[in-house]
Amino acid sequence: MGKVTGKTLAKKIAVSGFTLLELIIVIIILGVMAVGIAGFMTLSTQTYLNVTERDELLANARFVIERLNREIRNAVPNSIRIDNNSIMQCIEFVPIAASTTYIDIPVIPEVASTSFTAIRFNDVSGDPYACSACNDQVIVYPLSVDDIYNNHLDSSGKVFNVGSFSHPLPPPSTTDEWTLPIQNGAVRFDDDSPTQRLYIANEQVSYCVVNGQINRYASSIGGSQALPPANPVLMAESLAPIVTSNLPFTILPATLTRNAMVQVNLHFIRDGEDYVFNNDIHINNTP
């Protein structure tokens, strides 16, 4: 074996190590890379959060618009009304729980009756209609909101409470004609419907824009429109303050050339960005 001298050993050590300058350069490079990667990750994360929040806002807005479309289209004719003050606006209506064609109802000046007959029909779930200690009301030929929301305990009118009723069993019924009781006692309807149309309803629903939110409310039918109603259900947030010149809800009455229409204008604001949703809802149901 050859003899290892001090110079040879020093040379080997010098070749296999790093100088202090090299270590400093590496640290600086790693630091620059770490700052760049961190900045990229922060920017990417913030972009993702912004996109997520924007998508959430748009999804909530589309959900509210779609929900309003479906519910208002299914409203009892002439049940839609709007009320507002300086900080909020509400649109209220009565959803149809069931509908059918009646065969005979007591109408002024006929003799008052405690029942009416109608073609058998199903409820909203598709099952044969039944009412056991329910809060359902029968509505015939409503021409104004007063016809629907005013007192339903009179002996004459257009809205009466349905009495307890069980459809004939076993299904399918052996008869297509049902006789349903009226809880109010002997009553008379004000008018016949030209199409003999009859509606069943059991609640009034409100959508209110207030304090940057749009809430949904539901209560029993009757009385004046409360502002705000009780027991709100949050539907969407980040709405702009109400401007009287551009309200969220507007009703256009029916004309000879078109049905009634509800215009919805929801203005959302988040992180300095504005989103405006304009939607027209045509009211297809007729008295």
Side-chain angles (χ1 to χ4, degrees):
M1 294 180 64
K3 184 177 180 180
V4 180
T5 64
K7 291 182 177 181
T8 304
L9 182 60
K11 184 177 180 181
K12 290 183 177 180
I13 294 175
V15 170
S16 61
F18 296 98
T19 66
L20 179 60
L21 180 59
E22 291 173 330
L23 290 175
I24 293 174
I25 293 174
V26 170
I27 292 173
I28 292 174
I29 293 174
L30 291 176
V32 172
M33 293 178 61
V35 171
I37 293 173
F40 174 77
M41 293 180 63
T42 301
L43 181 61
S44 300
T45 302
Q46 187 61 45
T47 301
Y48 172 78
L49 292 176
N50 291 340
V51 171
T52 301
E53 290 179 356
R54 187 180 295 110
D55 288 344
E56 180 183 1
L57 177 63
L58 295 175
N60 289 339
R62 293 191 182 101
F63 168 76
V64 172
I65 294 294
E66 180 63 23
R67 184 74 179 266
L68 278 167
N69 262 296
R70 293 188 180 187
E71 293 204 73
I72 291 179
R73 286 180 185 273
N74 190 49
V76 173
N78 298 314
S79 69
I80 303 172
R81 60 181 178 177
I82 292 177
D83 201 357
N84 58 270
N85 54 34
S86 59
I87 62 171
M88 69 182 301
Q89 188 191 38
C90 294
I91 183 169
E92 189 170 42
F93 53 90
V94 174
I96 298 172
S99 64
T100 186
T101 300
Y102 65 80
I103 299 173
D104 182 53
I105 60 172
V107 181
I108 296 175
E110 298 175 2
V111 177
S113 175
T114 59
S115 64
F116 63 93
T117 56
I119 301 297
R120 59 172 297 175
F121 56 100
N122 295 336
D123 56 25
V124 291
S125 62
D127 299 322
Y129 176 77
C131 177
S132 177
C134 66
N135 192 37
D136 289 357
Q137 297 178 346
V138 54
I139 305 172
V140 175
Y141 203 44
L143 297 179
S144 69
V145 293
D146 291 338
D147 291 339
I148 295 175
Y149 295 102
N150 282 354
N151 183 20
H152 304 148
L153 301 179
D154 297 335
S155 59
S156 63
K158 298 191 175 184
V159 182
F160 299 107
N161 297 324
V162 179
S164 181
F165 171 77
S166 297
H167 57 80
L169 295 176
S173 169
T174 56
T175 177
D176 288 330
E177 180 179 322
W178 286 353
T179 299
L180 288 84
I182 298 176
Q183 189 177 354
N184 303 61
V187 301
R188 292 183 296 180
F189 287 89
D190 288 346
D191 299 290
D192 262 314
S193 166
T195 57
Q196 292 186 281
R197 199 66 181 162
L198 173 152
Y199 298 97
I200 302 292
N202 50 36
E203 67 176 356
Q204 60 191 52
V205 172
S206 294
Y207 280 81
C208 296
V209 176
V210 57
N211 296 329
Q213 298 179 341
I214 180 167
N215 297 319
R216 184 183 186 274
Y217 308 81
S219 61
S220 300
I221 302 174
S224 59
Q225 189 173 10
L227 292 178
N231 304 318
V233 176
L234 179 63
M235 304 299 290
E237 296 180 295
S238 303
L239 272 84
I242 291 180
V243 179
T244 54
S245 60
N246 193 18
L247 293 171
F249 307 113
T250 304
I251 297 178
L252 300 180
T255 67
L256 295 177
T257 58
R258 62 163 174 78
N259 291 339
M261 184 168 60
V262 173
Q263 292 182 329
V264 180
N265 177 34
L266 298 182
H267 183 191
F268 294 85
I269 296 179
R270 177 175 288 182
D271 297 331
E273 296 184 352
D274 290 59
Y275 306 89
V276 178
F277 289 80
N278 293 316
N279 187 58
D280 294 336
I281 305 175
H282 292 269
I283 310 303
N284 298 323
N285 293 314
T286 58

